[in-house]
């Protein structure tokens, strides 16, 4: 139509996307739908065709090989939903996605921190566009999603806040998408899954998204079967899908007409509430499972710690008994040696006094006695010091001196040394057990809650309380069920008015939040480096 109106057209002949010139030329033949059998044969020779036994094996293979920088193309939204769910499960198992707190997208699948999502409606207030991709940074308990844009090329990608209502109606997982969803994307590689619903346009779009590799996946018995399916797909036009397809589309259209209006509004709201209640119930069950695992680990750690503590206390008690047994005879010997030394000191003092007071006729005898006593005291002093290191000072302090001297002497006894080494070994084992317990708890928290929550708990920023979280989630689920039950009890007209009033209130709250954010950005005194939900989303820790 455009060519007819304009009267002049231009054909683009140069390809700049692909790094392999041979593959670039092959894509032109794919686009023109020329000789599909030969195109398939060349794809097979280039090693770009992967066969699978069934759909489950295909999804499993894609899940294991789907990485950032690769686009996955399927034929229908239903196929995309099934594959998105499987890929998300794999990312949860690898710790790339957190499934503790989630929102629910328009595809009915949960969305958690780390998930890749796509917005499907332009909203200038939120700053999002149709088909724009985002990586989820945080999900609040009420389902609000903070996400960072993907593929913008900006040095500092934007972060947006997506309200629960927008996420539920206009956002969904975006690991796999239809050809409409990936048009215009250019990434490192691509995976395209061929099915009965895949058309020539779907094959072409999917197989031309990757600069380096574009792999085709087909459920087939052998290459001949795969080749026949490829030819059939390349000859299929989405504008002419046959009577079955037309019947299905007509049924969908009729279903939309029949369920339109108040009944549809109430039905969709009830479905959303039921889904939210179910999701919150799953969160409660998951918190309960986490609580069981943490409690089980805590009990095991407590038992092991008690055993380690008992071993340490036993070693310390044994060391104390050994030290006392070794010191007991040493104390007695020290008291005897100390008493002998103090007696010699008294004798020497008496001899010195006589020498000082004796007359000239008795001086020689007194001097001889004093000399002998002095030699005795010197020998006693040397003996006590050599044996006990220190000398007693007074008879009153003799007992305390003997006890201390015995303890010092006991330290060199092999029995005491062996007992002390046993204590140090037990103490080192106790500390190693405590360190291991700390690491095991951190590992369990990381596997259950993610690295950020584990760090917050480790550093005391926010202690994890899974029992309370489970109770809160069950309470929220009960409130949502009560709201749904109340809607079901109302006439359709009253239920419609209540739903619309609730949506108006939510819209007003979003508008007020957007207005506050605009005023903050316009305020020159506002600290642009402040991190918060209004600018860069919640702080996640890096």
């Amino acid at each position: 139509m455009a060519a007819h109106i304009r009267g002049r057209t231009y054909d683009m002949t140069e390809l700049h996307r692909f790094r392999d010139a041979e593959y670039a030329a092959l894509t032109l033949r794919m686009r023109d739908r020329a000789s599909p059998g030969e195109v398939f044969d060349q794809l097979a020779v280039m090693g770009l065709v992967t066969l699978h036994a069934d759909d489950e094996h295909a999804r499993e293979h894609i899940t294991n090989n789907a990485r950032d920088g690769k686009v996955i193309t399927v034929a229908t939204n239903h196929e995309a939903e099934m594959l998105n769910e499987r890929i998300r499960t794999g990312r949860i198992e690898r710790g790339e996605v957190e499934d503790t707190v989630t929102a629910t997208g328009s595809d009915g699948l949960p969305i958690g921190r780390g998930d890749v999502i796509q917005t499907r409606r332009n909203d200038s207030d939120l700053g999002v566009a149709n088909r724009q991709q985002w990586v989820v940074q945080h999900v609040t308990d009420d389902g609000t999603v903070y996400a960072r844009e993907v593929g913008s090329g900006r040095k500092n990608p934007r972060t947006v806040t997506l309200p629960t209502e927008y996420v539920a109606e206009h956002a969904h997982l975006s690991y796999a998408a239809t050809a409409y969803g990936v048009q215009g994307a250019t990434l490192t590689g691509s995976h395209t899954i061929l099915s009965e619903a895949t058309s020539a346009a779907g094959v072409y779009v999917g197989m031309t998204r990757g600069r380096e590799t574009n792999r085709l996946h087909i459920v087939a018995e052998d290459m001949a079967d795969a080749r026949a399916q490829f030819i059939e797909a390349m000859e299929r036009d989405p504008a002419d899908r046959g009577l079955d397809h037309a019947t299905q589309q007509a049924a969908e259209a009729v279903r939309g007409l029949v369920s339109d209006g108040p009944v549809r509004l109430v039905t969709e709201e009830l479905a959303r509430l039921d889904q939210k209640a179910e999701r919150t119930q799953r969160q409660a069950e998951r918190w309960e499972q986490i609580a069981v695992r943490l409690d089980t680990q805590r009990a095991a750690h407590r038992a092991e710690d008690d055993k380690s503590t008992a071993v340490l206390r036993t070693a310390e008690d044994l060391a104390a008994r050994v030290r006392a047994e070794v010191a007991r005879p040493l104390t007695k010997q020290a008291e005897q040696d100390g008493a002998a030394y103090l007696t010699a000191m008294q004798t020497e003092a008496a001899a010195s006094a006589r020498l000082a007071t004796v007359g000239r006729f008795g001086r020689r005898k007194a001097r001889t006695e004093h000399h002998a006593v002095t030699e005795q005291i010197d020998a006693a002093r040397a003996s006590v010091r050599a044996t006990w290191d220190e000398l007693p000072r007074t008879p009153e302090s003799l007992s305390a001196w003997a006890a201390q001297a015995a303890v010092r002497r006991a330290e060199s006894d092999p029995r005491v040394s062996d007992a002390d080494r046993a204590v140090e070994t037990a103490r080192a084992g106790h500390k190693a057990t405590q360190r291991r317990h700390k690491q095991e708890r951190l590992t369990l928290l990381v596997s259950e809650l993610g690295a950020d929550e584990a760090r917050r708990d480790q550093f005391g920023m926010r202690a994890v309380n899974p029992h309370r979280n489970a109770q809160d989630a069950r309470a929220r689920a009960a409130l949502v069920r009560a709201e749904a039950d109340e809607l079901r009890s109302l006439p359709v007209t009253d239920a419609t008015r209540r739903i619309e009033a609730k949506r108006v209130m939510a819209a007003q709250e979003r508008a007020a939040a957007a207005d506050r954010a605009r005023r903050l950005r316009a305020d020159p005194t506002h600290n642009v480096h402040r991190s918060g939900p209004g600018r860069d989303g919640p702080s996640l820790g890096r």
Side-chain angles (χ1 to χ4, degrees), residues 393-429:
R393 296 183 180 277
T394 63
E396 292 77 17
S397 64
L398 178 61
S399 295
W401 170 85
Q404 294 176 359
V407 169
R408 288 194 300 271
R409 181 75 177 274
E411 295 302 321
S412 60
D413 190 285
R415 291 169 293 176
V416 174
S417 300
D418 291 343
D420 285 345
R421 279 194 293 271
V423 170
E424 289 304 317
T425 300
R427 184 173 290 117

mmCIF file of all heavy atoms in Angstrom, residues 393-429:
data_model
loop_
_atom_site.group_PDB
_atom_site.id
_atom_site.type_symbol
_atom_site.label_atom_id
_atom_site.label_comp_id
_atom_site.label_asym_id
_atom_site.label_seq_id
_atom_site.Cartn_x
_atom_site.Cartn_y
_atom_site.Cartn_z
ATOM 1 N N ARG A 393 58.766 -13.007 101.516
ATOM 2 C CA ARG A 393 59.164 -11.789 102.229
ATOM 3 C C ARG A 393 58.908 -11.877 103.724
ATOM 4 O O ARG A 393 59.748 -11.457 104.522
ATOM 5 C CB ARG A 393 58.416 -10.592 101.640
ATOM 6 C CG ARG A 393 58.770 -10.328 100.180
ATOM 7 C CD ARG A 393 58.047 -9.094 99.667
ATOM 8 N NE ARG A 393 58.388 -8.838 98.275
ATOM 9 C CZ ARG A 393 59.488 -8.190 97.877
ATOM 10 N NH1 ARG A 393 60.343 -7.741 98.771
ATOM 11 N NH2 ARG A 393 59.724 -8.014 96.593
ATOM 12 N N THR A 394 57.734 -12.370 104.094
ATOM 13 C CA THR A 394 57.377 -12.432 105.517
ATOM 14 C C THR A 394 56.703 -13.763 105.807
ATOM 15 O O THR A 394 56.164 -14.406 104.895
ATOM 16 C CB THR A 394 56.394 -11.302 105.886
ATOM 17 O OG1 THR A 394 55.191 -11.484 105.158
ATOM 18 C CG2 THR A 394 56.998 -9.938 105.559
ATOM 19 N N PRO A 395 56.700 -14.194 107.077
ATOM 20 C CA PRO A 395 55.997 -15.430 107.438
ATOM 21 C C PRO A 395 54.501 -15.336 107.123
ATOM 22 O O PRO A 395 53.873 -16.347 106.787
ATOM 23 C CB PRO A 395 56.239 -15.555 108.941
ATOM 24 C CG PRO A 395 57.525 -14.823 109.172
ATOM 25 C CD PRO A 395 57.497 -13.662 108.229
ATOM 26 N N GLU A 396 53.900 -14.108 107.214
ATOM 27 C CA GLU A 396 52.475 -13.944 106.946
ATOM 28 C C GLU A 396 52.124 -14.212 105.475
ATOM 29 O O GLU A 396 51.020 -14.669 105.171
ATOM 30 C CB GLU A 396 52.017 -12.540 107.332
ATOM 31 C CG GLU A 396 52.039 -12.251 108.829
ATOM 32 C CD GLU A 396 53.463 -11.998 109.332
ATOM 33 O OE1 GLU A 396 54.350 -11.738 108.471
ATOM 34 O OE2 GLU A 396 53.697 -12.060 110.545
ATOM 35 N N SER A 397 53.019 -13.901 104.566
ATOM 36 C CA SER A 397 52.757 -14.087 103.125
ATOM 37 C C SER A 397 53.287 -15.408 102.594
ATOM 38 O O SER A 397 53.264 -15.653 101.378
ATOM 39 C CB SER A 397 53.379 -12.937 102.325
ATOM 40 O OG SER A 397 54.810 -12.951 102.460
ATOM 41 N N LEU A 398 53.770 -16.273 103.488
ATOM 42 C CA LEU A 398 54.402 -17.511 103.046
ATOM 43 C C LEU A 398 53.431 -18.405 102.278
ATOM 44 O O LEU A 398 53.768 -18.943 101.218
ATOM 45 C CB LEU A 398 54.967 -18.258 104.256
ATOM 46 C CG LEU A 398 55.632 -19.624 103.939
ATOM 47 C CD1 LEU A 398 56.826 -19.424 102.993
ATOM 48 C CD2 LEU A 398 56.075 -20.309 105.247
ATOM 49 N N SER A 399 52.187 -18.561 102.765
ATOM 50 C CA SER A 399 51.231 -19.469 102.106
ATOM 51 C C SER A 399 50.887 -18.998 100.693
ATOM 52 O O SER A 399 50.873 -19.784 99.737
ATOM 53 C CB SER A 399 49.958 -19.574 102.949
ATOM 54 O OG SER A 399 50.243 -20.187 104.196
ATOM 55 N N ALA A 400 50.613 -17.681 100.553
ATOM 56 C CA ALA A 400 50.275 -17.157 99.226
ATOM 57 C C ALA A 400 51.466 -17.276 98.285
ATOM 58 O O ALA A 400 51.318 -17.626 97.099
ATOM 59 C CB ALA A 400 49.841 -15.699 99.344
ATOM 60 N N TRP A 401 52.673 -17.006 98.821
ATOM 61 C CA TRP A 401 53.873 -17.115 97.988
ATOM 62 C C TRP A 401 54.079 -18.544 97.523
ATOM 63 O O TRP A 401 54.396 -18.805 96.364
ATOM 64 C CB TRP A 401 55.092 -16.631 98.798
ATOM 65 C CG TRP A 401 56.395 -16.928 98.091
ATOM 66 C CD1 TRP A 401 56.992 -16.193 97.161
ATOM 67 C CD2 TRP A 401 57.209 -18.102 98.282
ATOM 68 N NE1 TRP A 401 58.166 -16.786 96.721
ATOM 69 C CE2 TRP A 401 58.313 -17.970 97.399
ATOM 70 C CE3 TRP A 401 57.124 -19.218 99.107
ATOM 71 C CZ2 TRP A 401 59.318 -18.937 97.332
ATOM 72 C CZ3 TRP A 401 58.121 -20.188 99.025
ATOM 73 C CH2 TRP A 401 59.207 -20.038 98.133
ATOM 74 N N ALA A 402 53.869 -19.509 98.443
ATOM 75 C CA ALA A 402 54.078 -20.920 98.098
ATOM 76 C C ALA A 402 53.093 -21.367 97.018
ATOM 77 O O ALA A 402 53.452 -22.106 96.094
ATOM 78 C CB ALA A 402 53.932 -21.788 99.353
ATOM 79 N N ALA A 403 51.810 -20.908 97.100
ATOM 80 C CA ALA A 403 50.812 -21.293 96.093
ATOM 81 C C ALA A 403 51.181 -20.748 94.719
ATOM 82 O O ALA A 403 51.092 -21.463 93.702
ATOM 83 C CB ALA A 403 49.431 -20.778 96.523
ATOM 84 N N GLN A 404 51.581 -19.464 94.673
ATOM 85 C CA GLN A 404 51.961 -18.877 93.389
ATOM 86 C C GLN A 404 53.204 -19.541 92.808
ATOM 87 O O GLN A 404 53.279 -19.815 91.605
ATOM 88 C CB GLN A 404 52.199 -17.386 93.571
ATOM 89 C CG GLN A 404 50.942 -16.601 93.929
ATOM 90 C CD GLN A 404 51.244 -15.148 94.206
ATOM 91 O OE1 GLN A 404 52.406 -14.715 94.160
ATOM 92 N NE2 GLN A 404 50.201 -14.381 94.521
ATOM 93 N N ALA A 405 54.171 -19.790 93.670
ATOM 94 C CA ALA A 405 55.406 -20.429 93.198
ATOM 95 C C ALA A 405 55.124 -21.833 92.682
ATOM 96 O O ALA A 405 55.696 -22.271 91.674
ATOM 97 C CB ALA A 405 56.428 -20.466 94.341
ATOM 98 N N ALA A 406 54.216 -22.544 93.331
ATOM 99 C CA ALA A 406 53.883 -23.906 92.895
ATOM 100 C C ALA A 406 53.187 -23.882 91.540
ATOM 101 O O ALA A 406 53.433 -24.734 90.681
ATOM 102 C CB ALA A 406 52.991 -24.576 93.951
ATOM 103 N N VAL A 407 52.289 -22.887 91.344
ATOM 104 C CA VAL A 407 51.594 -22.777 90.051
ATOM 105 C C VAL A 407 52.587 -22.516 88.931
ATOM 106 O O VAL A 407 52.512 -23.113 87.844
ATOM 107 C CB VAL A 407 50.530 -21.666 90.113
ATOM 108 C CG1 VAL A 407 50.002 -21.358 88.711
ATOM 109 C CG2 VAL A 407 49.386 -22.082 91.023
ATOM 110 N N ARG A 408 53.532 -21.602 89.184
ATOM 111 C CA ARG A 408 54.545 -21.331 88.147
ATOM 112 C C ARG A 408 55.370 -22.574 87.853
ATOM 113 O O ARG A 408 55.661 -22.876 86.692
ATOM 114 C CB ARG A 408 55.452 -20.196 88.602
ATOM 115 C CG ARG A 408 54.807 -18.827 88.595
ATOM 116 C CD ARG A 408 55.862 -17.734 88.719
ATOM 117 N NE ARG A 408 56.636 -17.859 89.956
ATOM 118 C CZ ARG A 408 56.296 -17.286 91.115
ATOM 119 N NH1 ARG A 408 55.170 -16.584 91.207
ATOM 120 N NH2 ARG A 408 57.056 -17.434 92.183
ATOM 121 N N ARG A 409 55.731 -23.279 88.880
ATOM 122 C CA ARG A 409 56.548 -24.486 88.684
ATOM 123 C C ARG A 409 55.740 -25.570 87.962
ATOM 124 O O ARG A 409 56.277 -26.321 87.141
ATOM 125 C CB ARG A 409 56.996 -24.978 90.061
ATOM 126 C CG ARG A 409 57.882 -26.211 90.032
ATOM 127 C CD ARG A 409 59.297 -25.901 89.585
ATOM 128 N NE ARG A 409 60.124 -27.069 89.639
ATOM 129 C CZ ARG A 409 60.777 -27.495 90.721
ATOM 130 N NH1 ARG A 409 60.675 -26.789 91.864
ATOM 131 N NH2 ARG A 409 61.536 -28.566 90.693
ATOM 132 N N ALA A 410 54.434 -25.624 88.245
ATOM 133 C CA ALA A 410 53.595 -26.665 87.632
ATOM 134 C C ALA A 410 53.460 -26.476 86.127
ATOM 135 O O ALA A 410 53.218 -27.438 85.397
ATOM 136 C CB ALA A 410 52.219 -26.666 88.288
ATOM 137 N N GLU A 411 53.574 -25.217 85.635
ATOM 138 C CA GLU A 411 53.404 -24.965 84.204
ATOM 139 C C GLU A 411 54.411 -25.728 83.358
ATOM 140 O O GLU A 411 54.153 -26.023 82.190
ATOM 141 C CB GLU A 411 53.524 -23.466 83.917
ATOM 142 C CG GLU A 411 52.426 -22.615 84.538
ATOM 143 C CD GLU A 411 51.043 -23.024 84.084
ATOM 144 O OE1 GLU A 411 50.889 -23.358 82.892
ATOM 145 O OE2 GLU A 411 50.118 -23.026 84.908
ATOM 146 N N SER A 412 55.549 -26.040 83.920
ATOM 147 C CA SER A 412 56.578 -26.754 83.152
ATOM 148 C C SER A 412 56.417 -28.266 83.228
ATOM 149 O O SER A 412 57.166 -29.001 82.586
ATOM 150 C CB SER A 412 57.977 -26.360 83.650
ATOM 151 O OG SER A 412 58.133 -26.696 85.029
ATOM 152 N N ASP A 413 55.456 -28.724 84.002
ATOM 153 C CA ASP A 413 55.238 -30.163 84.135
ATOM 154 C C ASP A 413 54.586 -30.692 82.846
ATOM 155 O O ASP A 413 53.630 -30.102 82.344
ATOM 156 C CB ASP A 413 54.328 -30.444 85.330
ATOM 157 C CG ASP A 413 54.272 -31.923 85.655
ATOM 158 O OD1 ASP A 413 53.606 -32.666 84.904
ATOM 159 O OD2 ASP A 413 54.906 -32.328 86.648
ATOM 160 N N PRO A 414 55.042 -31.772 82.265
ATOM 161 C CA PRO A 414 54.476 -32.310 81.014
ATOM 162 C C PRO A 414 52.991 -32.625 81.125
ATOM 163 O O PRO A 414 52.252 -32.484 80.152
ATOM 164 C CB PRO A 414 55.301 -33.589 80.776
ATOM 165 C CG PRO A 414 56.580 -33.358 81.514
ATOM 166 C CD PRO A 414 56.225 -32.547 82.714
ATOM 167 N N ARG A 415 52.556 -33.072 82.312
ATOM 168 C CA ARG A 415 51.127 -33.383 82.462
ATOM 169 C C ARG A 415 50.259 -32.125 82.294
ATOM 170 O O ARG A 415 49.199 -32.161 81.658
ATOM 171 C CB ARG A 415 50.879 -34.017 83.831
ATOM 172 C CG ARG A 415 51.476 -35.411 83.975
ATOM 173 C CD ARG A 415 51.432 -35.868 85.412
ATOM 174 N NE ARG A 415 52.332 -35.045 86.241
ATOM 175 C CZ ARG A 415 52.447 -35.173 87.567
ATOM 176 N NH1 ARG A 415 51.696 -36.062 88.206
ATOM 177 N NH2 ARG A 415 53.284 -34.419 88.242
ATOM 178 N N VAL A 416 50.724 -31.012 82.853
ATOM 179 C CA VAL A 416 49.986 -29.756 82.713
ATOM 180 C C VAL A 416 50.036 -29.266 81.265
ATOM 181 O O VAL A 416 49.034 -28.798 80.716
ATOM 182 C CB VAL A 416 50.553 -28.689 83.671
ATOM 183 C CG1 VAL A 416 49.895 -27.333 83.416
ATOM 184 C CG2 VAL A 416 50.352 -29.116 85.120
ATOM 185 N N SER A 417 51.199 -29.384 80.625
ATOM 186 C CA SER A 417 51.330 -28.954 79.231
ATOM 187 C C SER A 417 50.399 -29.748 78.321
ATOM 188 O O SER A 417 49.739 -29.184 77.437
ATOM 189 C CB SER A 417 52.787 -29.123 78.765
ATOM 190 O OG SER A 417 53.664 -28.344 79.562
ATOM 191 N N ASP A 418 50.326 -31.052 78.558
ATOM 192 C CA ASP A 418 49.428 -31.883 77.748
ATOM 193 C C ASP A 418 47.970 -31.481 77.958
ATOM 194 O O ASP A 418 47.180 -31.406 76.990
ATOM 195 C CB ASP A 418 49.615 -33.364 78.109
ATOM 196 C CG ASP A 418 50.966 -33.903 77.658
ATOM 197 O OD1 ASP A 418 51.604 -33.237 76.806
ATOM 198 O OD2 ASP A 418 51.375 -34.966 78.158
ATOM 199 N N ALA A 419 47.605 -31.220 79.206
ATOM 200 C CA ALA A 419 46.221 -30.818 79.486
ATOM 201 C C ALA A 419 45.902 -29.472 78.842
ATOM 202 O O ALA A 419 44.802 -29.265 78.315
ATOM 203 C CB ALA A 419 46.000 -30.756 80.995
ATOM 204 N N ASP A 420 46.853 -28.529 78.859
ATOM 205 C CA ASP A 420 46.636 -27.218 78.241
ATOM 206 C C ASP A 420 46.492 -27.336 76.733
ATOM 207 O O ASP A 420 45.668 -26.639 76.114
ATOM 208 C CB ASP A 420 47.801 -26.288 78.586
ATOM 209 C CG ASP A 420 47.732 -25.789 80.024
ATOM 210 O OD1 ASP A 420 46.658 -25.924 80.633
ATOM 211 O OD2 ASP A 420 48.754 -25.263 80.530
ATOM 212 N N ARG A 421 47.283 -28.212 76.133
ATOM 213 C CA ARG A 421 47.149 -28.409 74.695
ATOM 214 C C ARG A 421 45.782 -28.989 74.343
ATOM 215 O O ARG A 421 45.176 -28.626 73.323
ATOM 216 C CB ARG A 421 48.261 -29.322 74.171
ATOM 217 C CG ARG A 421 49.588 -28.608 73.948
ATOM 218 C CD ARG A 421 50.535 -29.466 73.127
ATOM 219 N NE ARG A 421 50.948 -30.647 73.871
ATOM 220 C CZ ARG A 421 52.006 -30.700 74.688
ATOM 221 N NH1 ARG A 421 52.734 -29.601 74.870
ATOM 222 N NH2 ARG A 421 52.322 -31.813 75.332
ATOM 223 N N ALA A 422 45.284 -29.882 75.187
ATOM 224 C CA ALA A 422 43.954 -30.434 74.957
ATOM 225 C C ALA A 422 42.890 -29.335 75.038
ATOM 226 O O ALA A 422 41.934 -29.321 74.251
ATOM 227 C CB ALA A 422 43.659 -31.530 75.975
ATOM 228 N N VAL A 423 43.070 -28.390 75.965
ATOM 229 C CA VAL A 423 42.132 -27.271 76.078
ATOM 230 C C VAL A 423 42.189 -26.405 74.819
ATOM 231 O O VAL A 423 41.150 -26.005 74.273
ATOM 232 C CB VAL A 423 42.441 -26.418 77.327
ATOM 233 C CG1 VAL A 423 41.625 -25.124 77.309
ATOM 234 C CG2 VAL A 423 42.137 -27.205 78.589
ATOM 235 N N GLU A 424 43.391 -26.085 74.346
ATOM 236 C CA GLU A 424 43.518 -25.256 73.147
ATOM 237 C C GLU A 424 42.916 -25.948 71.932
ATOM 238 O O GLU A 424 42.278 -25.303 71.085
ATOM 239 C CB GLU A 424 44.998 -24.935 72.895
ATOM 240 C CG GLU A 424 45.606 -23.973 73.890
ATOM 241 C CD GLU A 424 44.824 -22.668 73.954
ATOM 242 O OE1 GLU A 424 44.445 -22.144 72.880
ATOM 243 O OE2 GLU A 424 44.558 -22.195 75.074
ATOM 244 N N THR A 425 43.115 -27.254 71.830
ATOM 245 C CA THR A 425 42.517 -27.998 70.711
ATOM 246 C C THR A 425 40.993 -27.932 70.772
ATOM 247 O O THR A 425 40.322 -27.697 69.756
ATOM 248 C CB THR A 425 42.981 -29.463 70.747
ATOM 249 O OG1 THR A 425 44.414 -29.510 70.633
ATOM 250 C CG2 THR A 425 42.347 -30.259 69.607
ATOM 251 N N ALA A 426 40.440 -28.129 71.973
ATOM 252 C CA ALA A 426 38.980 -28.063 72.134
ATOM 253 C C ALA A 426 38.468 -26.660 71.853
ATOM 254 O O ALA A 426 37.410 -26.482 71.230
ATOM 255 C CB ALA A 426 38.600 -28.498 73.546
ATOM 256 N N ARG A 427 39.207 -25.640 72.313
ATOM 257 C CA ARG A 427 38.772 -24.258 72.074
ATOM 258 C C ARG A 427 38.813 -23.921 70.578
ATOM 259 O O ARG A 427 37.893 -23.277 70.050
ATOM 260 C CB ARG A 427 39.664 -23.298 72.858
ATOM 261 C CG ARG A 427 39.227 -21.835 72.758
ATOM 262 C CD ARG A 427 40.021 -20.939 73.688
ATOM 263 N NE ARG A 427 39.689 -21.190 75.081
ATOM 264 C CZ ARG A 427 40.533 -21.651 75.997
ATOM 265 N NH1 ARG A 427 41.803 -21.917 75.655
ATOM 266 N NH2 ARG A 427 40.157 -21.838 77.232
ATOM 267 N N ALA A 428 39.877 -24.369 69.882
ATOM 268 C CA ALA A 428 39.967 -24.128 68.440
ATOM 269 C C ALA A 428 38.836 -24.841 67.701
ATOM 270 O O ALA A 428 38.231 -24.300 66.769
ATOM 271 C CB ALA A 428 41.322 -24.592 67.912
ATOM 272 N N GLY A 429 38.512 -26.067 68.124
ATOM 273 C CA GLY A 429 37.403 -26.794 67.500
ATOM 274 C C GLY A 429 36.074 -26.100 67.733
ATOM 275 O O GLY A 429 35.228 -26.042 66.838
#
